[in-house]
Amino acid sequence: DAYDRLAALVETGVVVTHQSLDLLAVDEATDRPAAIESCHGKLPAHSTTITCMESINKNSDDESATSCLIVGTEHKQLVILDATNFAILVKVALPSPPVFICPQGLLDIEYRLAVACRSGVIHMVKNGQLLSTSIELEAQPCAMAISGKNLVAGDIGHVLHSFGLKGKKNYSVHLPA
């Protein structure tokens, strides 16, 4: 039945609308037609929560240059918005919701994003493409920065890690609590 197929889709991680989730919350099969009828005529609503934000300059390193907003969402997406009309310029699907974003470069020329996700893994995005490069930390990341050609990440285990932008580990420093 359609209810069971919808439930199976949600179990596999497919993102569904709030109306679909409301329907799945109805336990009694006899109450489901009324729940479906209550959505009749309404457009499907699909909203998400912002988990992190950063900005990246569009085409110049100048301090006053136009920059675009990078937004991470609870639905495992990273979107880059146009500075003038907030249209989506780039959309990247991630394996886990992002929590930190570190941009490097210029959007119109070449850029790289280091994206720490809730899973504890840092993923790299280059020019809108999710790279196979991923960095697994020993604990959840709590801060991250790009310094030159290195990514420096602190984790909740009081360790500061340094990696090359291609994922090679440079060093780890254990800090006092």
Side-chain angles (χ1 to χ4, degrees), residues 54-177:
E54 190 55 76
S55 65
I56 186 167
N57 282 2
K58 192 162 171 58
N59 52 23
S60 170
D61 276 332
D62 226 19
E63 280 186 35
S64 61
T66 303
S67 63
C68 296
L69 192 61
I70 307 167
V71 179
T73 72
E74 190 64 41
H75 285 313
K76 306 178 200 175
Q77 290 187 331
L78 199 64
V79 293
I80 301 178
L81 303 174
D82 187 281
T84 54
N85 61 6
F86 297 103
I88 295 175
L89 298 174
V90 177
K91 187 186 279 189
V92 179
L94 299 167
S96 177
V99 291
F100 299 107
I101 307 166
C102 282
Q104 181 188 48
L106 301 172
L107 185 66
D108 287 347
I109 299 171
E110 183 176 78
Y111 68 95
R112 193 180 288 261
L113 306 173
V115 184
C117 292
R118 193 172 294 141
S119 63
V121 177
I122 299 171
H123 298 280
M124 302 303 280
V125 174
K126 184 175 181 181
N127 300 327
Q129 300 296 314
L130 181 64
L131 302 178
S132 60
T133 304
S134 63
I135 300 167
E136 290 193 45
L137 300 179
E138 297 162 10
Q140 287 289 101
C142 60
M144 196 169 65
I146 293 180
S147 177
K149 295 194 179 277
N150 295 308
L151 171 70
V152 181
D155 68 29
I156 61 171
H158 309 291
V159 181
L160 188 66
H161 305 278
S162 172
F163 299 91
L165 292 179
K166 294 188 178 182
K168 184 178 179 222
K169 189 172 194 171
N170 296 327
Y171 62 84
S172 291
V173 177
H174 294 268
L175 303 170

